[in-house]
Amino acid sequence: MTITKANLVEKISNRLGLSKAESQNLVENFFEILSNSLENGDDVKISGFGTFKLKKKNTRPGRNPMTGEVIPVSARTIVKFSASSKFRTMVHD
């Protein structure tokens, strides 16, 4: 099962007794803070869960699997998530 923002809103509403509008606002604000922090170049560490970091990827040669043609893959910045040891233990047990 995939968890969506709507699922999160529903679960928060049920667990905390908040209205759907309040829960929606909470979820939207959380993701906005997370996104803004990463845009500003800050790492986001959530204790007991993990860390979100930006990582720069250099330009590299790629290959079209259909034709075998070499195509350059442009440089880009990605978001990397590293799970905390506590979270990894919960998921793997």
Side-chain angles (χ1 to χ4, degrees):
M1 180 178 151
T2 301
I3 300 294
T4 63
K5 281 186 180 181
N7 296 129
L8 289 173
V9 168
E10 184 74 31
K11 289 178 185 284
I12 289 170
S13 177
N14 291 340
R15 286 197 183 173
L16 300 180
L18 300 174
S19 70
K20 295 257 169 119
E22 290 171 322
S23 298
Q24 175 75 32
N25 191 26
L26 183 99
V27 170
E28 291 296 333
N29 281 313
F30 171 77
F31 285 112
E32 184 179 335
I33 291 166
L34 180 75
S35 297
N36 289 342
S37 296
L38 290 169
E39 283 176 12
N40 292 332
D42 300 329
D43 293 344
V44 177
K45 182 176 182 177
I46 302 172
S47 182
F49 183 68
T51 304
F52 295 89
K53 294 181 179 183
L54 293 180
K55 181 179 179 183
K56 294 190 185 292
K57 302 272 249 169
N58 295 325
T59 301
R60 63 181 174 83
R63 190 172 305 278
N64 181 331
M66 298 291 282
T67 65
E69 178 185 4
V70 174
I71 302 170
V73 177
S74 61
R76 62 194 184 282
T77 302
I78 63 166
V79 176
K80 184 176 181 204
F81 174 74
S82 299
S84 72
S85 58
K86 183 178 180 181
F87 182 67
R88 266 188 258 124
T89 302
M90 285 187 335
V91 171
H92 289 295
D93 284 343

